[in-house]
Amino acid sequence: MIRPEHLEALLGSDADDATLIVTAGTVVVVSASALDSERYRGALEIISRHDLVTRLGTSAPYRRDLEETAARLDTAVTRLGA
């Protein structure tokens, strides 16, 4: 479900408060402020851009780092049953 491309989209988002979420079985990047809207109510927050950059130690990671991080996040989401 969570792929490196999702993390690339998160890192490349124009939103200052970009967050990766799962809603209705779809992974999307939205601004954190949008999470209060009816459209995203009940969405599962995966990771914010800030937290991703902190975890990776850079805003320009290697592809392998994105692949490993995506795999870990995917495992966590799968365990939650999302």
Side-chain angles (χ1 to χ4, degrees):
M1 176 176 276
I2 308 293
R3 298 187 316 269
E5 295 79 13
H6 295 122
L7 301 183
E8 289 171 337
L10 179 59
L11 291 170
S13 174
D14 291 334
D16 291 334
D17 59 349
T19 303
L20 190 70
I21 66 169
V22 175
T23 182
T26 303
V27 181
V28 293
V29 175
V30 299
S31 69
S33 58
L35 293 174
D36 292 331
S37 71
E38 185 63 34
R39 180 176 183 179
Y40 297 116
R41 184 153 296 135
L44 176 63
E45 294 180 52
I46 305 303
I47 194 167
S48 69
R49 179 175 45 214
H50 177 269
D51 290 343
L52 179 60
V53 170
T54 299
R55 180 179 287 196
L56 294 170
T58 180
S59 61
Y62 291 107
R63 177 71 182 190
R64 180 167 171 82
D65 293 331
L66 290 175
E67 291 169 351
E68 291 172 357
T69 301
R72 283 193 295 275
L73 292 172
D74 186 65
T75 297
V77 169
T78 300
R79 285 183 179 161
L80 291 173

